[in-house]
């Protein structure tokens, strides 16, 4: 199974900040990576797929990069509605696996 | 974009079974595969398995094999997840998730179904 490791597990930031979250795969997955935003009591929301493609309707302050084993989600100009938990997910092979999550908290 | 509506919260005793439904609308049901994902209290997201409504092909995570059954009903555009022999650590929110086109990431999710397992 491909293990996904996210860091940090939590980050405190202020509105307007730039936040970077890292995801590392235990083996190369090319660009088979997605990022989701998850708020309590709501369904997860797809932000980025294929490592760097922005899902329709997602604000452009979200961006993704990387390939192989190392990936990054960047949130530029953090907004109040962005405080949530973010997960990466490898889509290269079954079983599909998620990272442990990164909680973005208000500073 | 598709809309997925899941069945309501369930309470089961250990050893019982639960069946959660996920009704799809707004798109052609057989054009997108489904996965089921769960989140235990205080934990992250856990992928359980995949089913294709068009081919009925499936893949279950090994830890659930023998207990998990995924089905679809194309006449009602509904996907089902049944988990048997429930244990206390099966208590979680269960989500259905639609695959984006032919990919293995999820562009639409149900609202989640809380399953409580308690004696």
């Amino acid at each position: 199974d491909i293990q996904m490791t996210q860091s940090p597990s939590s980050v405190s930031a202020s509105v307007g900040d730039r936040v970077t979250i890292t995801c590392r795969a235990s083996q190369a997955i090319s660009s088979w990576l997605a990022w989701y935003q998850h708020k309590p009591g709501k369904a997860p929301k797809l932000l980025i797929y294929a490592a760097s493609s922005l899902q329709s309707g997602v604000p452009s302050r979200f961006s993704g990069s990387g390939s192989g084993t190392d990936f990054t989600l960047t949130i530029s100009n953090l907004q109040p509605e962005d405080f949530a938990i973010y997960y990466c997910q490898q889509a290269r092979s079954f079983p599909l696996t998620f990272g442990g999550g990164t909680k973005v908290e208000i500073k | 974009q598709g809309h997925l509506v899941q069945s309501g919260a369930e309470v089961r005793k250990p050893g019982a079974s639960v069946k959660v439904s996920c009704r799809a609308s707004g798109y052609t049901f057989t054009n997108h595969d489904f996965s089921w994902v769960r989140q235990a209290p205080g934990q992250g997201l856990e992928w359980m398995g995949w089913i294709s409504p068009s081919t009925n092909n499936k893949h279950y995570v090994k830890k659930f094999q023998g207990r998990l059954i995924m089905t679809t009903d194309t006449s009602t555009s509904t996907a089902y997840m049944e988990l048997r022999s429930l244990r206390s650590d099966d208590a979680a929110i269960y989500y259905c998730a639609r695959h984006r086109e032919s990919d293995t990431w999820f562009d639409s999710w149900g609202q989640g179904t809380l399953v409580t397992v308690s004696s």
Side-chain angles (χ1 to χ4, degrees):
Chain A
D1 298 3
I2 299 174
Q3 307 302 318
M4 305 301 293
T5 303
Q6 279 183 243
S7 61
S9 56
S10 67
V11 57
S12 293
S14 301
V15 172
D17 284 353
R18 179 186 182 98
V19 171
T20 299
I21 299 168
T22 297
C23 180
R24 174 164 288 175
S26 60
Q27 62 190 77
I29 58 171
S30 185
S31 296
W32 291 97
L33 185 100
W35 289 97
Y36 300 88
Q37 177 191 67
H38 194 195
K39 297 180 180 179
K42 296 204 167 184
K45 176 184 176 182
L46 177 65
L47 300 174
I48 301 285
Y49 62 94
S52 61
S53 295
L54 192 68
Q55 172 68 356
S56 175
V58 174
S60 59
R61 62 181 180 273
F62 292 93
S63 63
S65 64
S67 67
T69 59
D70 294 312
F71 302 87
T72 299
L73 173 71
T74 300
I75 311 172
S76 304
N77 188 22
L78 195 69
Q79 295 299 297
E81 60 267 30
D82 299 337
F83 293 97
I85 299 175
Y86 293 83
Y87 293 93
C88 61
Q89 175 235 325
Q90 68 83 12
R92 173 65 179 83
S93 62
F94 287 164
L96 306 179
T97 45
F98 291 90
T102 296
K103 186 173 185 179
V104 177
E105 300 176 295
I106 300 173
K107 195 171 191 177
Chain B
Q1 187 136 345
H3 187 52
L4 305 178
V5 178
Q6 297 183 221
S7 48
E10 303 274 12
V11 179
R12 294 287 185 273
K13 294 187 185 308
S17 298
V18 69
K19 190 171 185 177
V20 178
S21 67
C22 170
R23 181 155 188 174
S25 62
Y27 71 98
T28 302
F29 183 67
T30 50
N31 283 357
H32 294 261
D33 296 345
F34 280 92
S35 280
W36 288 87
V37 176
R38 74 179 187 178
Q39 183 178 35
Q43 303 299 309
L45 300 174
E46 179 181 26
W47 184 74
M48 300 177 68
W50 156 85
I51 184 168
S52 169
S54 61
T55 65
N56 204 36
N57 287 339
K58 307 167 193 180
H59 181 98
Y60 301 153
V61 170
K62 283 181 185 173
K63 68 181 280 188
F64 298 113
Q65 285 180 0
R67 296 202 298 139
L68 178 61
I69 301 172
M70 293 183 186
T71 56
T72 60
D73 183 342
T74 56
S75 68
T76 61
S77 298
T78 303
Y80 297 92
M81 186 283 301
E82 181 177 10
L83 191 60
R84 300 176 172 178
S85 302
L86 288 168
R87 307 187 288 250
S88 57
D89 62 358
D90 290 318
I93 299 173
Y94 289 77
Y95 294 99
C96 60
R98 188 188 82 162
H99 287 224
R100 183 185 177 277
E101 298 176 356
S102 58
D103 301 321
T104 43
W105 29 66
F106 317 121
D107 67 352
S108 185
W109 295 65
Q111 83 276 19
T113 296
L114 177 65
V115 174
T116 301
V117 182
S118 173
S119 54

